[in-house]
Amino acid sequence: MTTRPSGAALDQLRRAISTIEHRDSPCGRARVGGARFSTGHAPLDAALGGGGLPGGALVEVRAEGGRDTVGSVAVALGLGAQVLRARPGLGVWIHGRRAGDDGLPHAPGLAAAGIAPGRMLVVGPLAPDLLLWAAEECLMAGGVGALVLQPDIAPGLVAARRLLLAGERCGAPVLVLGDPRLAPLAPARVRLEVRTLPSRAPPWWADRRPAGWMMPVGAPRWQLQVGRRGAGAPHEMEVEWDHGTHRFRDGSGLAHRTPGLVVGSGQHGRAA
Amino acid sequence: MLVTHERSALRITTACARARKAGAIPGDALSDVRARVPALVVAHADPAGDLAALERLARRMRRWSPWVKPVTEGTVHGIALDITGVAHLFGDETGLVSDMTTTLTGAGLAGARIALAPGFAAAWALAVAGRSACIRVDSQRLVPALAPLPVEVLRLPPAIVRALRLAGLRTIGHVLAGPRAVLGHRFGALVGTRLDTLMGKVRDPLDPLPHRTRPHAVRRLLEPVSALEALQALAGDLAADLATRLQEAGLGARRLSLRLWRGGGVDLQIDAAASTPEADAGRLARLLCHRLEAGADRLDPGFGIEGGLLMACDPVRRAARQVDLDPDAAERAGAREAARNLADRLRARLGAERVRRPRLNDAWLPEDAEDGPGGTRPADIPALVQPCQMAPGRTRPTLVYRPPEPAEAVAEAPDGPPRLLRWRRQILTIVAADGPERLCPPWWRGHEPTRDYYRVETADGRRLWVFRAGMYGAPADTAVPQDLGAPPPPSGARWFVHGRFG
């Protein structure tokens, strides 16, 4: 007669096997020890799974509903900048042939976003097969702090799985910019859907609005839907980029030009 | 005229004929000579640079003889060549001298003096003090040719030369006529030795410049191979041999040239580059293997590769590395090293133009503010954990379009921000704007118009970096942005979208 093991015993056994399987890889240590990279915004960290962006995992960043994809690129860069603050190594951006539609990285802009341009390696434009080869090579080589992948076509299941294994070995988060018109990346542990929002008005704008002046442009602001594999419905939040600290911060509140509203105030701005 | 700092004053070391005629004598203080001749053109002497240039010239003169040596006596510079057995390659000695004269004149050394004599000392004496610029003397006519030359050509110490002159022995002929025993007793044995050397009685061998060869490795195969794996194995063996030689010499190679010998006398050449001088066999082999893989489609081994030659094109001395005892610093150094190796491998496989490390330049125009596609410039990846500091006040987009994309705008003249923008077949309403930030091209690119940059936000939240090239109402021909790929403008101002803020 055999006895069925209890659920707790099975969980313990699974954890032990996982530790043995991954004990030699940085990601194994990451899973056991919990290597996470904070984004500077506690609700976003919590939505990402507690502690921030997971190391050694695929993170898909997509534009919501096929809209303008530049917002997702900017969010991916912001997340990459957070990782590079905490982790030594290069920030590698590998892009396909269509990346020029969104624009290519600009050294002064990277510096303004808190990323030392000398720490960045921009690789491309590459055909899809070379792009995956380069990504895997980077992750297997070591010396990579964060990897941003901007492919023309979504990697297949096998390629994505290979990327995941290489990422686990390296310990760096792999940020894959997804095409909103295609199916989501299956092995991604975290998926962010990005929608660009209008920026908020500066606090002084409503009181001292000079006649005939246009409102100044505020900090970049996005709506994020953060979904985690096996964690239920995605969290929705609004964040904006803090140029002073080079981190994400709360961006909730109404934009400066929501029509027809008189009441309602955000953290810094006021509805017009 | 050249001067050098000597005995608390700038003193003349070399003066041209016109300066000498005007009263500039080597050894005089520059201030004294300037008082007499104010319009003097003066430069500082560079003896080390002169010697280096002389050595370079001597190496180039190996085309006439492999036995070459640069010689310097005081302010006179010369090059000694042993032409034993080489004159027939140029017809005869006359042909050799003619070829030499033509080449040196073509190189801007028309004033060079050439002398051919049975020994180096005699040739030097004739070249320095001979009557004509080109003298050829055989052993029979050596004494009459040397006799009228001054005793300075014996290359004796100045005190002995002075003593000889005081004794009335002013030329070689005077010295030769005197009894040898008395000469040796009164002026020292060196005079007799130098005289014998001059007359060719004592051998005066040249100590030639050593040959400099680039470190290289050669392998010949027993049978031709054509498979990529076999070629990679050959490259690995060559890399191991070359690495051993580089390590023995304390050198590192930044550029490698692999020549594969294909049957039929046609070679295949593959170049590889590293960002730092490398002497590690594994890394050199990986670079070559990546290059072979990348060019596998175009690599035609024909009937097989029979061997190869791997050469370090620009070997440089490798600096010793300090081992850091701080574990954190050691980890950072390891990360830098890994990053450099990764960049090299990617460049080898994908091509240098596809692997770019952005770099800030101290310039305002966006095109000039960063380096273009990076080649194999020396890698000095900065500290990998320190954030970069950006000059305050500059707001720059993370993403830019190269080149900027033309747009049409409705804007207030003369320098208002755009209110409506037509870009990529879309009409965008601008609801927020910052600017203008006026950027002017450098004065030496005067044909380019000034640019007024604006940070604008559209109604749907897109944040763009746009600029107006030229001014409203300005003549159209001065406002054409030549390098932006735009059609000829109908008016003086053109709008472009240059970047995105996310």
Side-chain angles (χ1 to χ4, degrees), chain A:
Chain A
M1 178 181 171
T2 56
T3 55
R4 233 182 132 73
S6 67
L10 273 178
D11 283 348
Q12 194 178 359
L13 183 60
R14 283 197 189 108
R15 273 201 300 275
I17 291 172
S18 173
T19 308
I20 292 165
E21 278 181 344
H22 295 282
R23 67 185 169 191
D24 293 332
S25 74
C27 186
R29 290 194 293 275
R31 277 184 183 172
V32 175
R36 295 260 174 180
F37 303 99
S38 170
T39 62
H41 182 42
L44 180 56
D45 288 349
L48 287 168
L53 206 63
L58 288 190
V59 178
E60 189 180 18
V61 187
R62 302 157 60 98
E64 188 197 37
R67 291 165 189 263
D68 187 40
T69 52
V70 173
S72 60
V73 179
V75 168
L77 259 185
L79 292 171
Q82 306 311 311
V83 178
L84 289 179
R85 287 170 82 115
R87 197 182 138 85
L90 283 178
V92 184
W93 180 325
I94 306 175
H95 62 85
R97 290 167 176 163
R98 291 212 302 262
D101 294 347
D102 292 336
L104 295 170
H106 184 46
L110 291 173
I115 305 173
R119 287 189 71 185
M120 283 294 291
L121 198 65
V122 182
V123 184
L126 298 180
D129 53 339
L130 275 181
L131 182 130
L132 292 171
W133 174 86
E136 209 174 325
E137 182 75 16
C138 290
L139 292 170
M140 300 295 273
V144 172
L147 180 77
V148 179
L149 207 60
Q150 193 177 7
D152 289 338
I153 56 171
L157 192 60
V158 174
R161 181 76 187 150
R162 286 180 67 111
L163 271 182
L164 177 63
L165 290 174
E168 283 182 354
R169 187 185 167 91
C170 173
V174 182
L175 296 151
V176 183
L177 288 159
D179 189 332
R181 291 157 296 184
L182 298 176
L185 197 64
R189 198 190 300 179
V190 178
R191 181 168 300 117
L192 288 96
E193 295 216 348
V194 181
R195 182 178 166 204
T196 307
L197 296 178
S199 59
R200 297 189 297 187
W204 52 267
W205 176 252
D207 303 329
R208 293 183 288 143
R209 183 177 186 165
W213 279 37
M214 290 185 84
M215 199 198 75
V217 178
R221 186 162 156 265
W222 308 278
Q223 184 186 60
L224 302 182
Q225 279 192 353
V226 186
R228 279 188 298 128
R229 200 171 55 201
H235 291 73
E236 192 172 303
M237 67 187 68
E238 291 176 3
V239 296
E240 72 178 4
W241 183 253
D242 188 337
H243 286 296
T245 61
H246 300 141
R247 281 181 170 264
F248 291 99
R249 69 180 177 206
D250 181 29
S252 58
L254 297 175
H256 52 79
R257 53 179 170 278
T258 307
L261 285 180
V262 185
V263 290
S265 63
Q267 192 179 0
H268 303 296
R270 230 190 290 176

Side-chain angles (χ1 to χ4, degrees), chain B residues 69-73 78-81 115 117-126 155 197-198 200 204-206:
Chain B
K69 185 190 181 185
V71 186
T72 299
E73 284 285 335
I79 295 170
L81 284 90
F120 159 64
W124 173 266
L126 289 166
R155 296 190 291 157
T197 311
L198 190 67
D204 184 16
L206 278 182

